């Protein structure tokens, strides 16, 4: 990834020097091992901070939406003649570009508001898996060396194969290379094992409705309503989320079981045809709730019922924004 990093920094500097972007959203080396946090580069010399490796976890499309919508709001207070345009550069792998496509389909901003630095992706490390592998020993340092992760703990050094600690969404990712980009950095990454994409959903579908409901209930009982999942998700961008709306109040704000289930069911359904399986919501969940099981089920349903995959082309209408007379509707029924 060293070459990718070098080229990424060069391209970032060029974009800033030529004033083609106002800032670049990327990743930098963090203060904690195994985590490369987001960074916001506005100065040429700071482009040297940019990194690209298997510790780059978060889907950065979230920030593009936040920055551009805040800018748009701020411009409303100005006279038309004083208004300015803001252009954001973003370091984007496959799933991030899919989120950008969703934003474009949903008319959140224009294509020329964003400059996409596409990067090839071979997946990111799941911290929880690594913690389990080192049996909870404090990890003091971590680095990627080829197909392995080297970790230093109080107990010594260990070399862990990268594929053993990849986040669950990565090994079966269908779109690990950018779907849209303005500059492609480096070669395309080899394809992942996409044939297994729905293996866990297939198993889940074999369970009885009671077993599935029990699984849902058990998982959601872990939820503490911190909303980290919602806050990390690029597809969750409503100005006022239904959980915080008070007129009318749709759902109680405490940890009552039924309120938590309503929150989760509504958020999950808001993701139908809009989830790109980036895993950001799962990575930030402090309680280890298995959100992916349900998100992938909805994703598979979108494919089977509507032949739709989320975030593939900005020119395509979104699944929920389209109606065809022959759309299936046999799954709509009156509960007995
Ligand atoms: S889901 Fe795909 S594109 Fe996203 S981080 Fe994993 S391998 Fe990369
Ligand atoms: S619901 Fe989770 S996995 Fe899906 S797009 Fe949002 S953050 Fe990514
Ligand atoms: S991040 Fe986890 S605990 Fe927090 S609201 Fe989401 S599912 Fe619940």
């Amino acid at each position: 990834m060293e070459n990718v990093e070098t080229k990424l920094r060069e391209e970032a500097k060029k974009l800033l020097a030529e004033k083609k972007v106002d800032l670049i959203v990327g990743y930098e080396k963090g203060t904690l091992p195994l985590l490369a946090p987001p960074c916001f580069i506005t100065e040429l010399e700071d482009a040297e901070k940019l990194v690209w490796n298997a510790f780059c976890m978060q889907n950065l499309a979230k920030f593009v939406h936040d920055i551009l919508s805040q800018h748009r709001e701020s411009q409303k207070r100005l006279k038309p003649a004083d208004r300015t345009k803001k252009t954001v550069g973003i370091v984007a792998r496959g799933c991030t570009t899919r989120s950008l496509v969703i934003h474009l389909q949903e008319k959140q901003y224009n294509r020329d508001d964003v400059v996409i630095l596409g990067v090839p992706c071979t997946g990111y490390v799941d911290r929880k898996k690594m913690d389990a592998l080192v049996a909870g020993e404090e990890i003091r340092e971590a680095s990627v060396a080829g197909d392995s992760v080297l970790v230093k703990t109080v107990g010594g050094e260990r070399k862990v194969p990268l594929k053993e600690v990849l986040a669950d969404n990565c090994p079966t990712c269908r779109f690990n290379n950018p779907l849209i980009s303005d500059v492609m950095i480096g070669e395309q990454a080899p394809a992942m094992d996409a044939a297994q994409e729905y293996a866990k959903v297939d198993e889940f579908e074999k369970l009885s409705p009671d077993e599935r409901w029990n699984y849902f209930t058990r998982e959601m009982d872990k939820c503490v309503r911190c909303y980290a999942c919602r806050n990390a998700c690029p597809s969750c961008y409503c100005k006022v989320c239904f959980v915080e709306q008070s007129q009318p109040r749709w759902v109680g704000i405490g940890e009552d079981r039924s309120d938590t289930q309503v929150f989760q069911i509504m958020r999950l359904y808001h993701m139908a045809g809009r989830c790109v399986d980036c895993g950001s919501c799962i990575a930030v969940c402090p309680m280890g709730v298995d959100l992916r099981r349900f998100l992938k089920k909805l994703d598979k349903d979108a494919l089977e019922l509507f032949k739709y995959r989320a975030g593939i082309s900005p020119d395509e209408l979104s699944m929920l924004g389209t109606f065809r007379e022959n759309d299936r509707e046999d799954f709509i029924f009156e509960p007995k």
Side-chain angles (χ1 to χ4, degrees), residues 215-225 255 260 264 285-291:
Y215 187 80
F216 176 80
T217 306
R218 259 200 326 274
E219 285 305 307
M220 298 316 162
D221 279 354
K222 297 180 199 165
C223 174
V224 293
R225 302 277 297 275
E255 278 186 60
T260 302
Q264 290 287 357
C285 174
M287 307 310 290
V289 179
D290 183 8
L291 298 168

PDB file of all heavy atoms in Angstrom, residues 215-225 255 260 264 285-291:
ATOM      1  N   TYR A 215     -34.012 -14.491  17.661  1.00  0.00           N
ATOM      2  CA  TYR A 215     -32.654 -14.001  17.381  1.00  0.00           C
ATOM      3  C   TYR A 215     -32.657 -12.468  17.376  1.00  0.00           C
ATOM      4  O   TYR A 215     -31.799 -11.824  17.985  1.00  0.00           O
ATOM      5  CB  TYR A 215     -32.159 -14.546  16.034  1.00  0.00           C
ATOM      6  CG  TYR A 215     -30.706 -14.206  15.773  1.00  0.00           C
ATOM      7  CD1 TYR A 215     -29.694 -14.947  16.360  1.00  0.00           C
ATOM      8  CD2 TYR A 215     -30.361 -13.122  14.970  1.00  0.00           C
ATOM      9  CE1 TYR A 215     -28.359 -14.618  16.154  1.00  0.00           C
ATOM     10  CE2 TYR A 215     -29.035 -12.785  14.761  1.00  0.00           C
ATOM     11  CZ  TYR A 215     -28.037 -13.542  15.349  1.00  0.00           C
ATOM     12  OH  TYR A 215     -26.721 -13.203  15.147  1.00  0.00           O
ATOM     13  N   PHE A 216     -33.653 -11.908  16.700  1.00  0.00           N
ATOM     14  CA  PHE A 216     -33.768 -10.445  16.647  1.00  0.00           C
ATOM     15  C   PHE A 216     -33.891  -9.880  18.069  1.00  0.00           C
ATOM     16  O   PHE A 216     -33.202  -8.929  18.444  1.00  0.00           O
ATOM     17  CB  PHE A 216     -34.982 -10.054  15.797  1.00  0.00           C
ATOM     18  CG  PHE A 216     -35.240  -8.574  15.758  1.00  0.00           C
ATOM     19  CD1 PHE A 216     -34.506  -7.751  14.915  1.00  0.00           C
ATOM     20  CD2 PHE A 216     -36.213  -7.991  16.562  1.00  0.00           C
ATOM     21  CE1 PHE A 216     -34.732  -6.375  14.886  1.00  0.00           C
ATOM     22  CE2 PHE A 216     -36.449  -6.626  16.533  1.00  0.00           C
ATOM     23  CZ  PHE A 216     -35.711  -5.817  15.685  1.00  0.00           C
ATOM     24  N   THR A 217     -34.782 -10.483  18.864  1.00  0.00           N
ATOM     25  CA  THR A 217     -35.016  -9.990  20.227  1.00  0.00           C
ATOM     26  C   THR A 217     -33.728 -10.058  21.052  1.00  0.00           C
ATOM     27  O   THR A 217     -33.380  -9.095  21.738  1.00  0.00           O
ATOM     28  CB  THR A 217     -36.122 -10.840  20.911  1.00  0.00           C
ATOM     29  OG1 THR A 217     -37.261 -10.824  20.071  1.00  0.00           O
ATOM     30  CG2 THR A 217     -36.492 -10.289  22.267  1.00  0.00           C
ATOM     31  N   ARG A 218     -33.031 -11.211  20.959  1.00  0.00           N
ATOM     32  CA  ARG A 218     -31.782 -11.370  21.729  1.00  0.00           C
ATOM     33  C   ARG A 218     -30.755 -10.315  21.340  1.00  0.00           C
ATOM     34  O   ARG A 218     -30.132  -9.682  22.189  1.00  0.00           O
ATOM     35  CB  ARG A 218     -31.182 -12.749  21.450  1.00  0.00           C
ATOM     36  CG  ARG A 218     -31.438 -13.767  22.530  1.00  0.00           C
ATOM     37  CD  ARG A 218     -30.482 -14.936  22.502  1.00  0.00           C
ATOM     38  NE  ARG A 218     -29.996 -15.386  21.221  1.00  0.00           N
ATOM     39  CZ  ARG A 218     -30.628 -16.265  20.436  1.00  0.00           C
ATOM     40  NH1 ARG A 218     -31.783 -16.771  20.812  1.00  0.00           N
ATOM     41  NH2 ARG A 218     -30.105 -16.638  19.282  1.00  0.00           N
ATOM     42  N   GLU A 219     -30.614 -10.094  20.042  1.00  0.00           N
ATOM     43  CA  GLU A 219     -29.627  -9.107  19.590  1.00  0.00           C
ATOM     44  C   GLU A 219     -30.017  -7.699  20.042  1.00  0.00           C
ATOM     45  O   GLU A 219     -29.181  -6.950  20.543  1.00  0.00           O
ATOM     46  CB  GLU A 219     -29.480  -9.151  18.057  1.00  0.00           C
ATOM     47  CG  GLU A 219     -28.692 -10.337  17.545  1.00  0.00           C
ATOM     48  CD  GLU A 219     -27.313 -10.451  18.172  1.00  0.00           C
ATOM     49  OE1 GLU A 219     -26.554  -9.470  18.143  1.00  0.00           O
ATOM     50  OE2 GLU A 219     -27.005 -11.537  18.724  1.00  0.00           O
ATOM     51  N   MET A 220     -31.295  -7.358  19.864  1.00  0.00           N
ATOM     52  CA  MET A 220     -31.705  -5.991  20.171  1.00  0.00           C
ATOM     53  C   MET A 220     -31.742  -5.729  21.674  1.00  0.00           C
ATOM     54  O   MET A 220     -31.663  -4.585  22.114  1.00  0.00           O
ATOM     55  CB  MET A 220     -33.049  -5.668  19.509  1.00  0.00           C
ATOM     56  CG  MET A 220     -32.969  -5.744  17.995  1.00  0.00           C
ATOM     57  SD  MET A 220     -31.461  -4.927  17.347  1.00  0.00           S
ATOM     58  CE  MET A 220     -31.346  -5.615  15.710  1.00  0.00           C
ATOM     59  N   ASP A 221     -31.827  -6.789  22.468  1.00  0.00           N
ATOM     60  CA  ASP A 221     -31.753  -6.602  23.923  1.00  0.00           C
ATOM     61  C   ASP A 221     -30.369  -6.094  24.354  1.00  0.00           C
ATOM     62  O   ASP A 221     -30.219  -5.544  25.438  1.00  0.00           O
ATOM     63  CB  ASP A 221     -32.067  -7.923  24.655  1.00  0.00           C
ATOM     64  CG  ASP A 221     -33.575  -8.161  24.742  1.00  0.00           C
ATOM     65  OD1 ASP A 221     -34.345  -7.254  24.347  1.00  0.00           O
ATOM     66  OD2 ASP A 221     -33.985  -9.246  25.197  1.00  0.00           O
ATOM     67  N   LYS A 222     -29.373  -6.275  23.487  1.00  0.00           N
ATOM     68  CA  LYS A 222     -28.033  -5.778  23.828  1.00  0.00           C
ATOM     69  C   LYS A 222     -27.930  -4.258  23.605  1.00  0.00           C
ATOM     70  O   LYS A 222     -27.031  -3.614  24.112  1.00  0.00           O
ATOM     71  CB  LYS A 222     -26.965  -6.430  22.922  1.00  0.00           C
ATOM     72  CG  LYS A 222     -26.825  -7.924  23.033  1.00  0.00           C
ATOM     73  CD  LYS A 222     -25.708  -8.335  22.050  1.00  0.00           C
ATOM     74  CE  LYS A 222     -25.765  -9.794  21.713  1.00  0.00           C
ATOM     75  NZ  LYS A 222     -24.934 -10.106  20.526  1.00  0.00           N
ATOM     76  N   CYS A 223     -28.821  -3.723  22.765  1.00  0.00           N
ATOM     77  CA  CYS A 223     -28.701  -2.323  22.313  1.00  0.00           C
ATOM     78  C   CYS A 223     -28.947  -1.342  23.463  1.00  0.00           C
ATOM     79  O   CYS A 223     -29.912  -1.483  24.205  1.00  0.00           O
ATOM     80  CB  CYS A 223     -29.696  -2.079  21.174  1.00  0.00           C
ATOM     81  SG  CYS A 223     -29.768  -0.371  20.641  1.00  0.00           S
ATOM     82  N   VAL A 224     -28.065  -0.329  23.587  1.00  0.00           N
ATOM     83  CA  VAL A 224     -28.225   0.685  24.639  1.00  0.00           C
ATOM     84  C   VAL A 224     -28.676   2.037  24.062  1.00  0.00           C
ATOM     85  O   VAL A 224     -28.606   3.055  24.743  1.00  0.00           O
ATOM     86  CB  VAL A 224     -26.923   0.848  25.463  1.00  0.00           C
ATOM     87  CG1 VAL A 224     -26.623  -0.405  26.264  1.00  0.00           C
ATOM     88  CG2 VAL A 224     -25.727   1.214  24.565  1.00  0.00           C
ATOM     89  N   ARG A 225     -29.105   2.039  22.809  1.00  0.00           N
ATOM     90  CA  ARG A 225     -29.624   3.251  22.163  1.00  0.00           C
ATOM     91  C   ARG A 225     -28.606   4.399  22.182  1.00  0.00           C
ATOM     92  O   ARG A 225     -28.957   5.547  22.477  1.00  0.00           O
ATOM     93  CB  ARG A 225     -30.925   3.713  22.835  1.00  0.00           C
ATOM     94  CG  ARG A 225     -32.040   2.694  22.845  1.00  0.00           C
ATOM     95  CD  ARG A 225     -32.829   2.679  21.548  1.00  0.00           C
ATOM     96  NE  ARG A 225     -33.512   3.901  21.252  1.00  0.00           N
ATOM     97  CZ  ARG A 225     -34.713   4.217  21.706  1.00  0.00           C
ATOM     98  NH1 ARG A 225     -35.361   3.397  22.495  1.00  0.00           N
ATOM     99  NH2 ARG A 225     -35.301   5.340  21.344  1.00  0.00           N
ATOM    100  N   GLU A 255     -34.729   2.815  27.306  1.00  0.00           N
ATOM    101  CA  GLU A 255     -34.256   1.506  26.857  1.00  0.00           C
ATOM    102  C   GLU A 255     -35.343   0.446  26.967  1.00  0.00           C
ATOM    103  O   GLU A 255     -35.058  -0.733  27.095  1.00  0.00           O
ATOM    104  CB  GLU A 255     -33.023   1.094  27.665  1.00  0.00           C
ATOM    105  CG  GLU A 255     -31.762   1.708  27.140  1.00  0.00           C
ATOM    106  CD  GLU A 255     -30.542   1.167  27.853  1.00  0.00           C
ATOM    107  OE1 GLU A 255     -30.315  -0.047  27.798  1.00  0.00           O
ATOM    108  OE2 GLU A 255     -29.858   1.980  28.496  1.00  0.00           O
ATOM    109  N   THR A 260     -36.847   0.107  21.781  1.00  0.00           N
ATOM    110  CA  THR A 260     -35.584  -0.226  21.113  1.00  0.00           C
ATOM    111  C   THR A 260     -35.860  -1.011  19.836  1.00  0.00           C
ATOM    112  O   THR A 260     -35.266  -0.753  18.787  1.00  0.00           O
ATOM    113  CB  THR A 260     -34.681  -1.052  22.067  1.00  0.00           C
ATOM    114  OG1 THR A 260     -34.476  -0.282  23.239  1.00  0.00           O
ATOM    115  CG2 THR A 260     -33.340  -1.377  21.424  1.00  0.00           C
ATOM    116  N   GLN A 264     -34.912   0.083  16.016  1.00  0.00           N
ATOM    117  CA  GLN A 264     -34.090  -0.752  15.143  1.00  0.00           C
ATOM    118  C   GLN A 264     -34.841  -1.158  13.876  1.00  0.00           C
ATOM    119  O   GLN A 264     -34.272  -1.106  12.783  1.00  0.00           O
ATOM    120  CB  GLN A 264     -33.632  -2.009  15.906  1.00  0.00           C
ATOM    121  CG  GLN A 264     -32.624  -1.715  17.000  1.00  0.00           C
ATOM    122  CD  GLN A 264     -31.242  -1.381  16.461  1.00  0.00           C
ATOM    123  OE1 GLN A 264     -30.998  -1.409  15.266  1.00  0.00           O
ATOM    124  NE2 GLN A 264     -30.321  -1.066  17.347  1.00  0.00           N
ATOM    125  N   CYS A 285     -20.461  -0.089  17.001  1.00  0.00           N
ATOM    126  CA  CYS A 285     -21.435  -0.496  18.031  1.00  0.00           C
ATOM    127  C   CYS A 285     -20.693  -1.010  19.271  1.00  0.00           C
ATOM    128  O   CYS A 285     -19.954  -1.989  19.185  1.00  0.00           O
ATOM    129  CB  CYS A 285     -22.370  -1.577  17.489  1.00  0.00           C
ATOM    130  SG  CYS A 285     -23.466  -2.225  18.771  1.00  0.00           S
ATOM    131  N   PRO A 286     -20.896  -0.363  20.425  1.00  0.00           N
ATOM    132  CA  PRO A 286     -20.153  -0.788  21.619  1.00  0.00           C
ATOM    133  C   PRO A 286     -20.669  -2.102  22.194  1.00  0.00           C
ATOM    134  O   PRO A 286     -20.008  -2.709  23.032  1.00  0.00           O
ATOM    135  CB  PRO A 286     -20.395   0.362  22.607  1.00  0.00           C
ATOM    136  CG  PRO A 286     -21.699   0.951  22.198  1.00  0.00           C
ATOM    137  CD  PRO A 286     -21.784   0.782  20.704  1.00  0.00           C
ATOM    138  N   MET A 287     -21.851  -2.540  21.765  1.00  0.00           N
ATOM    139  CA  MET A 287     -22.465  -3.723  22.368  1.00  0.00           C
ATOM    140  C   MET A 287     -22.397  -4.964  21.470  1.00  0.00           C
ATOM    141  O   MET A 287     -22.917  -6.017  21.817  1.00  0.00           O
ATOM    142  CB  MET A 287     -23.943  -3.433  22.713  1.00  0.00           C
ATOM    143  CG  MET A 287     -24.171  -2.196  23.564  1.00  0.00           C
ATOM    144  SD  MET A 287     -23.109  -2.145  25.026  1.00  0.00           S
ATOM    145  CE  MET A 287     -23.810  -3.456  25.994  1.00  0.00           C
ATOM    146  N   GLY A 288     -21.802  -4.821  20.304  1.00  0.00           N
ATOM    147  CA  GLY A 288     -21.651  -5.973  19.410  1.00  0.00           C
ATOM    148  C   GLY A 288     -22.972  -6.512  18.888  1.00  0.00           C
ATOM    149  O   GLY A 288     -23.125  -7.719  18.678  1.00  0.00           O
ATOM    150  N   VAL A 289     -23.937  -5.623  18.637  1.00  0.00           N
ATOM    151  CA  VAL A 289     -25.230  -6.069  18.097  1.00  0.00           C
ATOM    152  C   VAL A 289     -25.026  -6.550  16.651  1.00  0.00           C
ATOM    153  O   VAL A 289     -24.368  -5.868  15.855  1.00  0.00           O
ATOM    154  CB  VAL A 289     -26.266  -4.913  18.140  1.00  0.00           C
ATOM    155  CG1 VAL A 289     -27.596  -5.366  17.548  1.00  0.00           C
ATOM    156  CG2 VAL A 289     -26.453  -4.411  19.559  1.00  0.00           C
ATOM    157  N   ASP A 290     -25.595  -7.702  16.312  1.00  0.00           N
ATOM    158  CA  ASP A 290     -25.414  -8.265  14.966  1.00  0.00           C
ATOM    159  C   ASP A 290     -26.375  -7.587  13.987  1.00  0.00           C
ATOM    160  O   ASP A 290     -27.355  -8.178  13.533  1.00  0.00           O
ATOM    161  CB  ASP A 290     -25.660  -9.782  15.012  1.00  0.00           C
ATOM    162  CG  ASP A 290     -25.423 -10.434  13.650  1.00  0.00           C
ATOM    163  OD1 ASP A 290     -24.933  -9.757  12.738  1.00  0.00           O
ATOM    164  OD2 ASP A 290     -25.747 -11.638  13.515  1.00  0.00           O
ATOM    165  N   LEU A 291     -26.070  -6.328  13.653  1.00  0.00           N
ATOM    166  CA  LEU A 291     -26.932  -5.577  12.726  1.00  0.00           C
ATOM    167  C   LEU A 291     -26.832  -6.146  11.319  1.00  0.00           C
ATOM    168  O   LEU A 291     -27.777  -6.104  10.535  1.00  0.00           O
ATOM    169  CB  LEU A 291     -26.513  -4.104  12.705  1.00  0.00           C
ATOM    170  CG  LEU A 291     -26.641  -3.342  14.026  1.00  0.00           C
ATOM    171  CD1 LEU A 291     -25.940  -2.004  13.945  1.00  0.00           C
ATOM    172  CD2 LEU A 291     -28.117  -3.143  14.371  1.00  0.00           C
TER     173      LEU A 291
END
